[in-house]
Amino acid sequence: MSETGRHEDVPEETLPGERETAHEGAVATAENPFADPGLPPHEHRAQDIDDRAARRSERTVALLFVVSMIATVAFIASYVAIPIEQNVYIWPLGHISALNFALGLTLGAALFCIGAGAVHWARTLMSDEEVADERHPIEAAPEVKAKVMADFAQGAKESQVGRRKLIRNTMFGALALVPLSGVVLLRDLGPLPGNKLRTTNWKKGVRLVNQSTNLPLRPEDIAVGSLTFAKPEGLEEDDEEFAEKIAKDALMLVRIQPQNIKDKHELSWSHEGIVAYSKICTHVGCPISLYEQQTHHVLCPCHQSTFDLSDGGRVIFGPAGHALPQLHITEKDGFLEAASGFEEPVGPSFWERG
Amino acid sequence: MSTGGAYAAFAPADKAQADDTAQSLAIKEGKKLFAVGCASCHGTGGQGTSDGPSLVGVGAAAVDFQVGTGRMPAQQPGAQVPRKKNIYTNAQIDQLAAYVASLGAGPTVPDKEQYSPDGANIGKGGELFRTNCAQCHNFTGKGGALTDGKYAPTLEGVDPKHIYEAMETGPQNMPSFGDGSLSKQNKKDIIAYLGAVNGDESESPGGLDLGGLGPVSEGLFGYIFGLGALIAVAIWVAARTTKAKKS
Amino acid sequence: MSNETSATTTRRGQAPRGERIADWADGRLGIYSLAKSNMRKIFPDHWSFMLGEVALYSFIIIILTGVYLTLFFHPSMAEVTYHGSYVPMQGIRMTQAFESTLNISFDVRGGLLIRQIHHWAALVFLAAMMVHMMRVFFTGAFRKPREVNWLFGFLLLVLGMFTGFTGYSLPDDLLSGTGVRFIEGVILAMPLVGSYLQFFIFGGEFPGHDIIPRFFTVHVLLLPGIMLGLLVAHLILVFYHKHTQFPGAGKTNNNVVGMPLLPVYMAKAGGFFFLVFGVISVIAAVASINPVWAIGPYRPDQVSTGAQPDWYMGFAEGLVRVMPGWEWNFWGHTLNFGVLIPILIFPLVLVAIAVYPFIESWVKGDKREHHILDRPRNVPTRTGFGVAWLVAYFVMLIGGGNDLWATHFHLSINSITWFVRIAFFVGPVLAFIATKRICLGLQRRDKDKVLHGRESGIIKRLPHGEFIEVHEPLDQEQLHLLTQHEQPAPLELGPEVDENGVERKLSRSQKLRAKLSKAYYGEDNVIPKATAEEYKEITSGHGHH
């Protein structure tokens, strides 16, 4: 629907006359063909001159507001009538919550129509004559500035702060010092790190337990090319400190043919090709674990640090700064256990790491 | 390439015995199919060539997975073999599987009970998936990138049986998750979880799931449809109104 | 304001009720003076001036929906076992923060909608601020007297980024928790104080029990409070300075042309608020955002691929992903440059665009107020810089999503990383050069249009057989528009020796300034606009061209 109608709809006598050739403001003169011609004259909309068009606009605006009201009622009805657990299939959205869909559409319609009504009203019925308003410089007039300067000088003189250097200096001292109390209050936000960043719960003799099955691991559980995750024996998921402990202790176990292990030191800490590495990336601490069994590379999904688990866990790509720490493991009574704790801090680097 | 042989040496106990008598017909047919479709890369006796690894000891499960998902026969070299349309009938796949299983004992095709959602704990399956699988396959199995052009494929539309077999056999660079790594119940739970969140009937309560890929697709959608729509509305609001007469 | 006195007084002979209330308020608040200067204030009309409004209204929507969410959300890291409506989470251990988010999504009617409106509005808020900032940049609306307002806006953008980050981390889900772990790693990497800061901020070892409640305070109270203050200051300045306007007939540096606040802008701007709210609500009805039930609760030993922050942190993510792994060990200490360098570059990228207006005004030495906007083609150096910055930003966004680009376009993630590493440096340079060339080309075309008229596409054959294209001369308005821009000469350094023949000592900064000034106004960097003489020569002499 055209809001302004077509030309034929507007009675001849109400059309504006031919546009004036001379505009308000500066006219092109022989000296300056580029001069500002000034604001163009106002051109009427149909609604300005034709009452029927104006009344049509009014009805449109009113209709929009009425649709909004209906939508609000529909919102309330949906809220009351649609059960929260109901799902509905709507193409192309999928199996979605019926209530969310209904509430969102009705609310959206209710709000949108208010806005559309207001804007249509403004565009078609309110005056669209462009008006020019004067700007005033932001800077104050020189007299004002002079008065302010004089007042300030007078006030400063009366305070005597200029003469009394002792007052001034000690005042700065006091004001500078007092915020320190606020800073000091923050000390108890947390404990000091102590040794916590350097140690994990792995120690000599601690058995490796399969994170998924919760059973202690035996060497024959780990096949070549497999991937298994382990935690220290005694750590349960409902422990109060489980999250803090697993954030350091999480372990990744893979098995590589001994002849494919390039690093001698790694080989000496493995058990029949089973190698245990920290699962915590040395970049910023994500649990890496994208193990590619044919290349023996493990990729961290966060920032793509790549480590070679057949070569001492060294970094071969990406932003990690140092190799993945390996845990020395051994077998006792048929089960895998740690031969010692980690010999370096696990996880991201920190200043005191060494 | 030595994976197959090594698997036979180190694999956990649960595997079938090489059985010539019961399936001898299937094995014979399978051998014929193998000669035509597989031997050129995998060798006439499945021992492997420079173009394809040895299949001794990979087991029927690996064949059922690779051929069943259309990955094999592979069409071209590349970082990874993609899933494509399967060109063998189920009977042919069984025959191929029987033949390859006869070359050396390996994981068997799971039976229905092992991957059915009955008796599975979906919640636990989700937890297991997030610990063992999501790092490659994404929270709900939409897939993800590995190094150098390799990728963990999306699990949408993958048969539960094939998911079980993939976990058992560790195709290409995917590690294997034998019963020592993920127990049978673990695997069952994971499959049930995937069925709930990544199946055709899966719910997306909030609306379009935008691929289940997270903030990247949400950001794109927000810019294009969110800000885009609002700019379109703004253009309407600020536009010149139509005049009564053309000047 | 209505001034119906004798015509419509009540039976008691008093003024109408509305006027009496206004009088009461005026006696206590002095509102009539405020109304006098502002009620019929003029605002120019252009859609690109409404981008700031999109940001403003989405901020209000965020606050309204946010208050609703705080009525139901539990910012606690105490562990519980889930027994709510969502089946795939049954029996799983999670924090109360996560559980209450599931509760809002599945057990509070309308809760999911409000959560989604809140998060979609946040994405739109930041996108609108970014696009609004670029509009202001490319049109030079940051020039005097608006430099302070530019800084307020910039601060709003930065605070908005962190408000968003702390906000989406509140549900303590696996995706946002991975981001928090990343922040912990960044804090740890800081020299000297890193490990102490990490323990203080997290209240102990990661993850601890304090970080979510602390994020809650920051997200709900601290940052929005500061942003509200900045926002009010930002709007006051827009009113006080009056809005800028595009050049055109009747628009000068000393006026503002448009429609009055009452009634037109109240209706349009007020209506626009409802339109923005409506559109965002519809989006929240049809598109899922941050489905934490599919993501799972955070555990430090779990992670998913495709782990990205919300888009506005994307370029920081890209910086971190493409940085090579450099680490420096010395005397028992470690400096992790793989983390430290991106963390330094991230604010520098933002600061570069923030300080640009001051650099430009120093180079130009222009101390006048500017209320007429620039057409970007007329300021090629600035436009080139802006496009170069956008290219650097966008390249880093690609870096942040490199794994998704890899899977969806079948590329190697390592190649993408290398591409971004190189393109971050090369791309902006190429973009700057290309943009400048394009701007100069457009300036040439403008000059051509002024002097020779607009190509009309009408071919005419002359009596002696020549084919020409008829050019339609521009009308007065267009001539003015294409020639009104200023083209000052570059700053002169002055003679190398003074009048006594002594060599003048010029400071380094003066020489730099002159050089940069040439970059803005020198011969190679502007096309001199058409002069009146050239125009008259052409229009008087030849009949056609």
Side-chain angles (χ1 to χ4, degrees), chain B residues 131 134 148 206 208 218 223 237, chain C residues 116 268 286 288 290 302 305 414:
Chain B
T131 301
D148 295 315
L208 271 171
E218 289 165 2
Y223 253 103
V237 172
Chain C
Q116 303 213 134
K268 281 193 172 181
V286 301
S288 176
N290 200 25
Q302 292 175 350
T305 186
N414 305 70

Side-chain angles (χ1 to χ4, degrees), chain A residues 98-316:
Chain A
L99 183 63
N100 184 65
F101 186 66
L103 289 180
L105 282 188
T106 49
L107 180 65
L111 293 164
F112 192 87
C113 289
I114 293 178
V119 170
H120 190 65
W121 176 13
R123 281 166 50 81
T124 58
L125 293 174
M126 295 186 185
S127 164
D128 72 334
E129 213 165 313
E130 284 198 312
V131 176
D133 197 11
E134 246 190 86
R135 289 187 194 265
H136 305 285
I138 306 295
E139 280 175 356
E143 316 80 76
V144 173
K145 179 176 173 188
K147 171 98 172 55
V148 168
M149 289 288 138
D151 281 348
F152 182 80
Q154 177 72 10
K157 194 164 115 202
E158 285 174 9
S159 78
Q160 300 200 16
V161 72
R163 282 175 54 193
R164 312 278 175 202
K165 289 282 191 320
L166 189 60
I167 292 181
R168 195 192 64 181
N169 296 341
T170 49
M171 175 181 76
F172 285 146
L175 288 175
L177 220 50
V178 84
L180 288 181
S181 336
V183 174
V184 164
L185 279 172
L186 296 175
R187 163 64 185 88
D188 272 352
L189 275 176
L192 292 173
N195 221 16
K196 296 255 178 61
L197 290 169
R198 319 194 80 88
T199 55
T200 69
N201 297 293
W202 290 105
K203 285 185 245 308
K204 182 177 159 78
V206 174
R207 274 196 185 158
L208 277 64
V209 171
N210 185 329
Q211 177 76 53
S212 306
T213 63
N214 229 11
L215 299 169
L217 283 162
R218 293 166 302 169
E220 53 272 29
D221 289 333
I222 317 282
V224 172
S226 70
L227 178 63
T228 316
F229 299 110
K231 58 179 181 176
E233 189 171 33
L235 181 58
E236 296 302 326
E237 276 176 31
D238 48 16
D239 282 352
E240 201 185 314
E241 295 250 297
F242 173 73
E244 288 77 30
K245 294 204 171 109
I246 199 72
K248 295 194 298 193
D249 300 338
L251 211 62
M252 212 178 13
L253 283 163
V254 298
R255 191 165 198 163
I256 304 175
Q257 293 279 40
Q259 63 266 31
N260 288 336
I261 297 179
K262 303 182 202 112
D263 184 298
K264 293 286 170 286
H265 181 260
E266 177 182 345
L267 190 57
S268 68
W269 277 16
S270 70
H271 175 76
E272 291 174 6
I274 302 177
V275 289
Y277 276 97
S278 167
K279 193 178 177 184
I280 309 300
C281 186
T282 58
H283 180 230
V284 280
C286 286
I288 63 177
S289 35
L290 280 82
Y291 180 59
E292 298 175 355
Q293 62 148 308
Q294 286 172 345
T295 60
H296 309 304
H297 294 166
V298 68
L299 172 70
C300 183
C302 289
H303 310 109
Q304 285 81 50
S305 299
T306 313
F307 304 84
D308 187 346
L309 292 191
S310 68
D311 196 7
R314 68 182 183 89
V315 182
I316 55 173

Side-chain angles (χ1 to χ4, degrees), chain A residues 19 23 26-40 75 79-80 82 84 93 96-97 99-101 103-105 107-116 118-119 121-123 126-139 186-194 196-197 199 211 237-248 250 279-280 282-290 299 301-304 306 317-322 348-354, chain C residues 42 93 106-110 112-113 116-117 144-146 178 181-182 184-186 188-192 195-196 198-200 203-210 214 240-245 248-259 263-264 267-268 271-272 274-275 277-279 281-282 284-286 299-305 317 320-321 323-325 327 329-330 332-336 338-339 369 371 402-403 413-414 417-418 421 450 476-477 479-480 483 530-532 535-536:
Chain A
R19 197 163 152 194
H23 298 174
V27 183
T29 62
E31 299 109 58
N32 187 7
F34 303 149
D36 179 358
L39 282 178
F75 179 93
Y79 186 95
V80 169
I82 301 181
I84 193 171
L93 308 174
I96 64 174
S97 158
L99 183 63
N100 184 65
F101 186 66
L103 289 180
L105 282 188
L107 180 65
L111 293 164
F112 192 87
C113 289
I114 293 178
V119 170
W121 176 13
R123 281 166 50 81
M126 295 186 185
S127 164
D128 72 334
E129 213 165 313
E130 284 198 312
V131 176
D133 197 11
E134 246 190 86
R135 289 187 194 265
H136 305 285
I138 306 295
E139 280 175 356
L186 296 175
R187 163 64 185 88
D188 272 352
L189 275 176
L192 292 173
K196 296 255 178 61
L197 290 169
T199 55
Q211 177 76 53
E237 276 176 31
D238 48 16
D239 282 352
E240 201 185 314
E241 295 250 297
F242 173 73
E244 288 77 30
K245 294 204 171 109
I246 199 72
K248 295 194 298 193
K279 193 178 177 184
I280 309 300
T282 58
H283 180 230
V284 280
C286 286
I288 63 177
S289 35
L290 280 82
L299 172 70
C302 289
H303 310 109
Q304 285 81 50
T306 313
F317 188 82
H322 61 266
S349 310
F350 51 97
W351 175 250
E352 307 91 335
R353 188 178 194 273
Chain C
I42 299 297
R93 286 184 70 78
F106 294 109
D107 293 298
V108 174
R109 284 175 289 180
L112 179 60
L113 180 70
Q116 303 213 134
I117 293 178
K144 181 175 174 181
R146 296 177 176 83
T178 307
R181 173 60 131 162
F182 162 48
E184 186 245 1
V186 166
L188 269 180
M190 297 199 172
L192 293 169
S195 52
Y196 297 92
Q198 189 257 282
F199 269 67
F200 289 161
E205 286 185 287
F206 181 86
H209 290 91
D210 292 322
R214 287 176 180 173
Y240 178 57
H241 290 155
K242 298 193 176 60
H243 204 281
T244 50
Q245 57 190 354
K251 316 222 181 120
T252 72
N253 206 38
N254 297 317
N255 72 6
V256 56
V257 175
M259 317 280 193
V264 180
K268 281 193 172 181
F272 194 50
F274 289 95
L275 292 170
F277 204 164
V279 168
S281 301
V282 169
V286 301
R299 258 178 55 166
D301 63 328
Q302 292 175 350
V303 72
S304 165
T305 186
E317 175 76 7
V320 172
R321 286 185 186 210
M323 177 71 200
E327 201 169 83
N329 294 80
F330 58 97
H333 296 290
T334 304
L335 276 175
N336 185 356
V339 172
E369 288 181 15
H371 302 286
N402 58 1
D403 53 352
I413 199 173
N414 305 70
T417 303
W418 272 107
R421 282 174 175 169
V450 167
Q476 182 75 12
E477 276 182 57
L479 284 176
H480 175 69
T483 55
T531 60
Y535 179 78
K536 280 183 268 194

